Amino acid sequence: MLVKDLFLDTIQYEYSFVAHYLYHLLEEKKLSLNDDVSKIQSVTGDIHKVNELVVKNLLGIGEMNVYSMKMNTADFVFIFAPNLKDAIQFYHRTFFKPPLNCHQYSLDFDFYRGNEVISFRDMRKEIEQFPAIAGYYTRER
């Protein structure tokens, strides 16, 4: 695999730190896009500079998570939000009460929507404003 392919994957899957680390190594000319990824092990970057890039979000990677909020003993709502605090605040503003519990899910979690299988990552691409409700689930009793 080439560094270019890994770099594109880190951006697509929003691995912010790794994407910014690779960007830093490319910027410092310690790597090139056409190098094999095995070369990454033989070079080092300045972690402080990488952390600055991540804080500035130079690559514009908008990290978004999905949280399952328990509404009652059987019902759950899934909410896209950048962090747990925002997810809980959005739940409270929407349903006028706090959730019974909250768990973060992987964006790569697949589920059925109608007759298709979709991941939260793919579903998130359809939403323009966050936080947002991704869907509901009712557990069978």
Side-chain angles (χ1 to χ4, degrees):
M1 176 184 256
L2 298 178
V3 169
K4 173 177 64 174
D5 299 322
L6 178 61
F7 187 53
L8 291 173
D9 284 350
T10 62
I11 291 172
Q12 177 183 355
Y13 294 106
E14 299 182 347
Y15 299 128
S16 182
F17 184 84
V18 178
H20 283 93
Y21 185 73
L22 290 173
Y23 175 85
H24 168 68
L25 294 176
L26 291 164
E27 186 180 54
E28 296 289 317
K29 307 235 186 289
K30 294 182 178 183
L31 286 178
S32 78
L33 290 172
N34 293 319
D35 286 337
D36 189 86
V37 294
S38 61
K39 186 174 179 184
I40 295 169
Q41 296 174 1
S42 63
V43 296
T44 57
D46 183 336
I47 298 301
H48 297 292
K49 285 184 181 179
V50 175
N51 283 330
E52 288 175 14
L53 295 174
V54 170
V55 169
K56 290 178 185 175
N57 196 12
L58 183 74
L59 298 175
I61 297 174
E63 196 155 321
M64 192 60 55
N65 300 300
V66 64
Y67 298 92
S68 167
M69 305 278 186
K70 189 172 186 178
M71 303 176 80
N72 55 49
T73 57
D75 298 316
F76 300 82
V77 62
F78 292 94
I79 295 176
F80 286 117
N83 56 56
L84 178 62
K85 180 182 172 191
D86 288 352
I88 291 172
Q89 286 177 345
F90 180 76
Y91 181 96
H92 196 270
R93 281 193 317 268
T94 304
F95 300 105
F96 306 106
K97 62 181 180 176
L100 298 176
N101 70 22
C102 179
H103 297 284
Q104 184 174 343
Y105 269 65
S106 168
L107 289 174
D108 296 316
F109 183 81
D110 290 330
F111 57 95
Y112 286 97
R113 181 173 71 175
N115 292 330
E116 67 176 343
V117 175
I118 190 168
S119 69
F120 284 118
R121 184 177 307 282
D122 291 333
M123 180 186 274
R124 188 192 58 191
K125 294 174 186 175
E126 301 170 357
I127 299 173
E128 295 178 13
Q129 188 174 352
F130 298 95
I133 293 175
Y136 295 91
Y137 171 76
T138 300
R139 179 174 30 202
E140 293 182 24
R141 296 176 194 218

